[in-house]
Amino acid sequence: MSKSINWFKSVNWLKLNRSLHRDIGYFCIGMTLIFAVSGIAVNHVEDWNPNYDVTQETVTLIGLSDQIEKLDFEQKEFEQWLLAELNLQTTIKAQFWETPNRLKLFSKQNHTLIISPANNEVVIEQVKPRVLLRAANFLHLNEARKAWTYFSDAYAVMLIFLSLSALFMVKGKYGPLGKRGLLIIAGIAIPIGFVVMYSS
Amino acid sequence: MKINSIIINLVIILAAASWSVLATSSPQTFGSGANTDNVSKISTILASPDDYLDKDVTIKGTIVKVCKKRGCWMELTSDKKFQTFKVKVRDGDMVFPMTAMGKTAFATGKIQGFPMTLERTKQYLAYQAEEMQESFDPDSVTEAITVYQLAPHGVTIVD
């Protein structure tokens, strides 16, 4: 019993706290950046697509309706003609008549060709994943589930440790019991204020 | 010193775990994955949807639309011309990638029906027509409809 008390007294808790805060802080840099950048991205999901860059271009092709209405219409032949006309180096993986006046073709390079024979128009829609943001959002929104759930939980625990250990980093007038304590109060009061104002 | 080595080991283990999680595979599975043994035709379900309500079914079709913002729904083609069926999850339960369009999906789950009022039916059909860039006359709608969709617990997407 007295041995463990002696050990307890011999540990420099402030120094250990600082070391842990520093090292765990270093470890959390990557994760924090991922979560923060992704947080900004998905916060504005109503204004832009945080995962994909979706572009659309409308092209008028003379003779498009004639190609489709040909008596000997062959899907493969038509696809080859269309891709050549649009100068797209890809192949079609699926097609779907959405309505009698609207045909959709899907390419292997993530193009969707929306064809309106009535007005000889093709809308070329291309979906390109925003590589880094897509990966960050994938992690932030825990799309993977599996082991990532446990890692995220561990990260959350580390954040809790960082915030609480910060209270014991500095003593004196720059510590939490000095004027800087107002910053802690502000950090707690702001979210509470939002809850009071906006939650019903 | 001990703490540093523990943290470095932790980093290596967690980085490896992250890599395995991020590695994508084909076919892609969501939730429990679809039961591909017993596939029901979408046209058969839509011919008498009330017979299938709250029953576990598997459907199959080409993915022709995906929710652009949250990936929370997708539309599969039916075996019948011009017909599609929506597969919808609660936000975040599964995230269907937009790059899956044109691929084949199997989805296993329960059929749900959402009866609408006449006013809501008109709004819904007007939105559908706008999406298809077609003209729409609200006065032509005289009866309320029920919208059916599948709430999946497992989805498998194959190339």
Side-chain angles (χ1 to χ4, degrees), chain A residues 42-146:
Chain A
V42 296
N43 232 4
H44 298 277
V45 69
E46 298 302 327
D47 307 313
W48 79 310
N49 192 323
N51 291 313
Y52 302 97
D53 179 21
V54 183
T55 55
Q56 279 198 342
E57 182 191 357
T58 304
V59 178
T60 303
L61 286 181
I62 305 299
L64 177 65
S65 59
D66 297 338
Q67 285 287 330
I68 290 176
E69 286 159 14
K70 273 198 311 195
L71 284 176
D72 56 345
F73 176 78
E74 283 282 341
Q75 184 70 34
K76 281 282 164 216
E77 201 179 290
F78 168 70
E79 287 168 9
Q80 283 168 4
W81 173 83
L82 185 67
L83 292 175
E85 288 289 318
L86 297 173
N87 201 20
L88 291 176
Q89 308 296 318
T90 183
T91 47
I92 300 299
K93 61 181 171 184
Q95 60 97 13
F96 169 59
W97 278 98
E98 196 167 49
T99 69
N101 307 312
R102 213 163 131 100
L103 170 65
K104 278 184 168 181
L105 300 179
F106 302 94
S107 87
K108 286 191 172 166
Q109 272 67 43
N110 297 321
H111 298 95
T112 300
L113 307 176
I114 306 158
I115 300 161
S116 306
N119 45 9
N120 285 323
E121 269 185 9
V122 181
V123 176
I124 307 167
E125 185 179 273
Q126 185 161 30
V127 175
K128 288 182 186 164
R130 302 180 196 276
V131 180
L132 290 178
L133 266 181
R134 175 81 193 101
N137 297 337
F138 175 84
L139 296 173
H140 189 169
L141 301 176
N142 193 13
E143 291 178 29
R145 304 280 193 267
K146 301 175 188 167

Side-chain angles (χ1 to χ4, degrees), chain B:
Chain B
M1 188 63 187
K2 271 185 182 173
I3 288 166
N4 283 345
S5 59
I6 288 168
I7 288 175
I8 288 165
N9 284 330
L10 197 65
V11 171
I12 292 166
I13 292 164
L14 294 178
S18 311
W19 179 255
S20 71
V21 165
L22 280 172
T24 53
S25 58
S26 182
Q28 281 178 280
T29 55
F30 300 84
S32 55
N35 171 15
T36 56
D37 292 339
N38 194 9
V39 178
S40 303
K41 283 186 173 177
I42 289 174
S43 63
T44 311
I45 293 171
L46 285 177
S48 53
D50 291 341
D51 295 346
Y52 292 86
L53 278 183
D54 295 324
K55 286 182 184 161
D56 227 30
V57 294
T58 297
I59 57 169
K60 175 197 171 189
T62 304
I63 303 168
V64 289
K65 269 188 195 169
V66 176
C67 169
K68 288 181 178 175
K69 287 180 178 170
R70 293 183 173 87
C72 61
W73 57 261
M74 59 181 177
E75 276 185 21
L76 306 187
T77 55
S78 163
D79 48 296
K80 190 176 168 185
K81 231 177 173 183
F82 313 131
Q83 194 176 56
T84 59
F85 200 77
K86 187 179 262 189
V87 174
K88 170 85 176 82
V89 294
R90 208 174 49 181
D91 277 9
D93 280 358
M94 297 177 197
V95 181
F96 306 123
M98 278 193 81
T99 47
M101 281 200 289
K103 292 182 180 175
T104 302
F106 294 83
T108 305
K110 292 205 184 318
I111 301 291
Q112 298 175 322
F114 297 98
M116 293 182 174
T117 61
L118 184 59
E119 194 54 35
R120 186 75 190 92
T121 299
K122 287 179 180 181
Q123 289 170 359
Y124 174 78
L125 294 176
Y127 177 75
Q128 296 280 88
E130 193 187 329
E131 282 271 289
M132 305 279 188
Q133 295 172 339
E134 289 188 335
S135 57
F136 176 73
D137 176 16
D139 294 334
S140 65
V141 181
T142 53
E143 279 184 34
I145 61 166
T146 298
V147 173
Y148 295 93
Q149 64 186 30
L150 183 125
H153 53 75
V155 170
T156 302
I157 296 176
V158 292
D159 279 333

Side-chain angles (χ1 to χ4, degrees), chain A residues 177-198:
Chain A
L177 296 178
K179 283 182 187 169
R180 266 67 186 176
L182 291 174
L183 292 172
I184 300 170
I185 293 168
I188 295 168
I190 290 171
I192 290 174
F194 271 87
V195 170
V196 172
M197 281 173 69
Y198 295 112

